[in-house]
Amino acid sequence: MKKCITLLFCLLGFVELKAQMPHDAIYMNKKLACGALIYGHSSWTNYWENNLKRDNPNIGRLSTESTTAMIAYGITRDINVIAMVPYVKTNASQGNLMGQQGFQDASVFVKVKSKAFKGITAHAVVGLSSPVTNYVPDFMPMSIGLGTKTALVRGMISYALPTHLYVNTSIAYQARSKVKADRDAYLMGSKLYQTSHVSVPDAFDAAFRFGYLKKDNQLELFAEHFSCIKGDAIRRNDMPFLTNDMTMTTVGIYGKYQPKKIGVNARVAYVFDGQNVGQSTSISVGVLYQFKIN
């Protein structure tokens, strides 16, 4: 569900406006808001079945499209709230598996910033997400989401370097609820559970970002790692399942241009290593609009 709007910076009269996401160190000023509409597309033909990298003629190329609506608002200069909801559609180029589509999970985050000390700031983020429609989570890899209720806690450190450069590091823990699956029993590893309520592994993610930011221009390189705390592996020639230990390491680039209230951004990312996930390439483009709420 991660979409990228890292920084928006523009002038409206004499007012400086900024917009941000839960994983960056950018804050909206008090009573300022930014709305965004972001289109994303990702696809893969190869995936890791546990550690075995392979393709699957029954799927061919799996494509996922999403359109995400988001708004960020400044309660104060150091406390922001962010809300978003995506509409997701999946499709396989081969085989008989039907693609799914619908609204996925609504998310709300609160982000708090500490006072700066020699260019270093610390940040804390708490967030909640929950499905907004009754989609089928265990029809993987065609499902549009995992169907879990998730609580997230994130810590970040940001360091402003000379000549408009910056470094941002973060780590987060995601506590995930059980999911009611469309079945009466399921396997996790070699153990059979006689219930439809599936335990989805908790997860963590970490990231490192290095970028350039000056007024309405931003360019950022990033590396992100996601991993479940526990879980099992995709069994040989079987479909993935909610209990799988999904791990991925992603690298990418992000850019943004916003000379006035309206701006655009773009992001490209590639999964170069993983386990029980697809080796996907993803792109996203967004239209951004900033305004004041009295």
Side-chain angles (χ1 to χ4, degrees), residues 191-202:
K191 185 174 181 179
L192 177 65
Y193 292 84
Q194 298 283 355
T195 176
S196 61
H197 290 84
V198 179
S199 296
V200 181
D202 292 349

Side-chain angles (χ1 to χ4, degrees), residues 24 28 62 83 133 145-146 164 185 251 255 265:
D24 65 27
M28 302 293 294
L62 181 72
T133 58
L146 297 179
H164 306 288
V251 294
N265 66 358

Side-chain angles (χ1 to χ4, degrees), residues 17-148:
L17 301 182
K18 300 179 181 180
Q20 32 69 43
M21 280 290 285
H23 58 258
D24 65 27
I26 309 304
Y27 287 74
M28 302 293 294
N29 288 335
K30 184 177 180 179
K31 296 184 178 180
L32 296 178
C34 177
L37 191 64
I38 309 155
Y39 170 79
H41 181 277
S42 68
S43 65
W44 53 263
T45 54
N46 295 316
Y47 68 101
W48 287 276
E49 186 181 73
N50 195 8
N51 293 316
L52 174 65
K53 189 177 179 182
R54 58 166 294 181
D55 64 353
N56 191 331
N58 292 320
I59 296 174
R61 177 174 294 275
L62 181 72
S63 300
T64 302
E65 295 180 276
S66 64
T67 302
T68 301
M70 188 209 81
I71 188 167
Y73 176 71
I75 298 175
T76 71
R77 295 178 66 92
D78 298 331
I79 302 175
N80 279 195
V81 61
I82 307 153
M84 65 183 73
V85 59
Y87 186 92
V88 181
K89 180 180 180 181
T90 62
N91 179 67
S93 64
Q94 297 176 200
N96 299 317
L97 294 179
M98 294 184 61
Q100 305 291 294
Q101 60 181 317
F103 286 100
Q104 192 205 56
D105 304 339
S107 303
V108 178
F109 303 90
V110 176
K111 183 164 64 173
V112 180
K113 177 174 63 174
S114 70
K115 298 298 182 182
F117 177 73
K118 295 184 178 181
I120 299 174
T121 54
H123 312 260
V125 181
V126 294
L128 297 172
S129 70
S130 180
V132 293
T133 58
N134 190 28
Y135 61 83
V136 180
D138 55 322
F139 185 39
M140 301 175 71
M142 308 307 297
S143 58
I144 64 172
L146 297 179
T148 65

Side-chain angles (χ1 to χ4, degrees), residues 223-237:
E224 300 171 339
H225 180 78
F226 172 90
S227 183
C228 291
I229 302 302
K230 56 181 181 178
D232 57 2
I234 300 175
R235 287 175 287 275
R236 182 63 175 158
N237 293 324

